[in-house]
Structures are given as structure tokens and as C-alpha cells.
Amino acid sequence: MSDVYTKISEVLIAGDIKEIPNLCLQAVEDGFSAQDIMDKGLFPGMDVVGQRMKTGEMFIPEVLRSAKAMQAGLGVLKDKLTGDDVGAGMGTVIVGTVQGDLHDIGKNLVVMLLEGAGFNVVDLGVDIKPEQFVAAASEHGATIIGISALLTTTMPKMSETIAALTEAGLRDKVKIMVGGAPVTQTFVDDIGADGYGADAASAVEKAKELAQAA
Ligand code: B1M
């Protein structure tokens, strides 16, 4: 059984963009849940990529191939992940990765699950300046702003984004959810955000909570 997950991890680490979707689909057909394929195959593989990146065993082009393989795997699992939790009219969430940060795999996963839960999601993409979050919040009448950061060096941009929303007079109108590997509850409290999700599923739970409180 664990061979399936190990194989998926290995192929992800190898950055085989064509093979990953096939393996993920095959695993689904064989009865493995999309959540398990992600949690026990794709994520552990990406952790290894992160460790090897840190120690210099893998370089950016190789990491990018693994990242693309990850996106391809998540792409085929999307329907399976979001199918059973569909709500409606949950409000609009603006989501983006902060200025200076190009990491988007986790953010995309959060977007996928939020949409599956019935939120209208406006995905701004990566490298989003505080003023872009502000403009999008006004334009779309968002109830929640979701901000992602993967680098310790870009985390301060979350706080700057909150300051920009406050300055624009929008802070009382929106709830702010943050997330990304380096984000902790202490950080959330320090910057005055309304909550965070340690992973995509917790992010959806938090968004539902915040939508009710909005
Ligand atoms: Co980057 N990178 N990277 N990288 N990269 C990390 C983050 C790093 C930890 C690797 C390492 O050294 N071990 C390290 C950061 C160290 C630090 O800040 N302390 C790092 C570095 C240093 C860099 C560069 C500076 C490297 C360089 O150029 N020298 C550079 C920076 C570029 C930039 O952004 N300006 C860089 C570049 C890249 C690539 C472009 C090659 C690629 C990104 C491709 C892409 O995203 N399209 C990349 C990758 C792939 C990684 C690792 C290996 C994997 C990240 C990932 O996708 N994880 C990463 C190491 C690691 O995290 N293990 C690393 C899988 C994803 C599903 O998890 O994103 O954590 P995650 O998302 C989770 C949760 O965090 C949460 O839910 C998700 C699902 O569970 N979540 C939210 C995320 N956003 C959320 C928002 C929410 C709520 C929850 O609410 C709004």
C-alpha cells in the first residue's frame, strides 16, 4: 500500500511532470483517497525537495520541475478533493501571495478547496503588492482577504498589507486570513490578522468561521 505513496513521492522528487498525473489517477482508480495521495505522497515528496534545496543537492531548475509535477498532480486530484464539500454563497475571498514571493503551490491548493467549499475566489496570483490587495478588496466587495507567504523575508509584507487595508478604511470591512509554511499563530497575533490556516483544509475551516463572523 505505502509503495504507491513512495512511488508518487519519488516521481515528484524526480520532477517527472508527465508521470505524476498518471500515477495519481491510477492511485485514485485503485481506491486511494485524493487526500491521502496528497498527504502521504505529494507533500512528503515536496518536503524532500525542500530539504535537498536547502542542502544544495537540488538546484532551482530541478525544484521548479518538481513544483510543476506537484501542480500537475494536484490538477488531476482537484475534483476529488473538492467534490464533497460544496456550499454556496459563502462570499468573496481575495487570495494572493505577497509582494516579492513567487511561491504559489500551497496558495493554489487553498484556492481550490475554498472554491470547492462554495466561496467565490479572486486569485490575484503571486508577487502581490499591498495596494493590489486593497484595490481588489474594494473592487470585488470581498469579505475575506487571504494572504500567503513562504519566505521569512516576505512575511513582513503581510503586516504591510494589513496596514494598507487599514489606511484605506477597509480593515473593519474584511477579515484577514494568512498562511504559508513560516506562519504561526504568534505571528498572526503580532500582525493583527484574524486567523491562519496551517494547511489548506484548516484554511477552509478558518474561512468559514471568518465568513460567519463577518
Ligand atoms: Co522556494 N523556498 N525559494 N521555491 N521552496 C522554500 C519555501 C524554502 C523553505 C526551501 C528551503 O530552503 N528549505 C526556502 C525558504 C527559506 C526561508 O524563507 N526561511 C525557499 C527559498 C530560500 C527560495 C528562494 C529564495 C531560492 C533562491 O532563489 N535562492 C527562491 C525565492 C523566489 C521568490 O519567491 N522570490 C525560491 C524559489 C522557489 C521555486 C520558484 C523554485 C519553487 C516555487 C514554485 C511555485 O511555487 N510555483 C520553490 C519551492 C517549490 C519551494 C519548496 C521546496 C516547496 C514549497 C511548496 O510548494 N510546498 C519550499 C520548501 C518547503 O516548503 N518544504 C521552498 C508544498 C505546498 C503544498 O505547501 O506552500 O507550505 P505550502 O502550503 C501549505 C501551507 O503552508 C498552507 O496550505 C498549504 C497546503 O497545505 N498555506 C496556506 C499556504 N498558503 C496559505 C494561505 C492561507 C492558508 C494556508 O491563507 C490565505
Side-chain angles (χ1 to χ4, degrees), residues 106-202:
K107 186 257 307 159
N108 293 346
L109 195 51
V110 171
V111 167
M112 246 183 232
L113 294 200
L114 283 173
E115 284 174 343
F119 286 94
N120 171 40
V121 182
V122 179
D123 184 358
L124 301 180
V126 297
D127 192 18
I128 303 303
K129 297 186 181 78
E131 56 269 32
Q132 290 175 281
F133 279 104
V134 171
S138 308
E139 185 186 341
H140 299 283
T143 44
I144 301 175
I145 311 281
I147 317 172
S148 182
L150 261 287
L151 299 170
T152 45
T153 49
T154 58
M155 288 168 80
K157 287 289 170 189
M158 289 179 154
S159 162
E160 286 179 33
T161 303
I162 295 177
L165 287 162
T166 307
E167 204 169 307
L170 293 172
R171 184 63 188 95
D172 294 340
K173 300 190 175 74
V174 293
K175 298 287 179 190
I176 298 170
M177 177 171 79
V178 293
V183 174
T184 60
Q185 185 60 49
T186 309
F187 178 73
V188 171
D189 297 340
D190 285 349
I191 66 170
D194 296 307
Y196 97 113
D199 53 43
S202 325

Side-chain angles (χ1 to χ4, degrees), residues 33-74:
S33 79
Q35 190 68 48
D36 279 348
I37 295 168
M38 219 169 60
D39 290 345
K40 299 177 186 175
L42 295 174
F43 286 176
M46 206 43 136
D47 282 344
V48 173
V49 172
Q51 285 151 21
R52 292 188 185 172
M53 187 181 176
K54 199 173 180 179
T55 55
E57 289 167 82
M58 277 177 86
F59 298 102
I60 299 293
E62 296 162 297
V63 177
L64 264 179
R65 269 201 300 279
S66 294
K68 284 186 181 151
M70 176 88 168
Q71 298 277 27
L74 291 175

Side-chain angles (χ1 to χ4, degrees), residues 23-34:
L23 281 176
C24 289
L25 277 179
Q26 186 60 53
V28 169
E29 276 170 27
D30 291 344
F32 295 91
S33 79

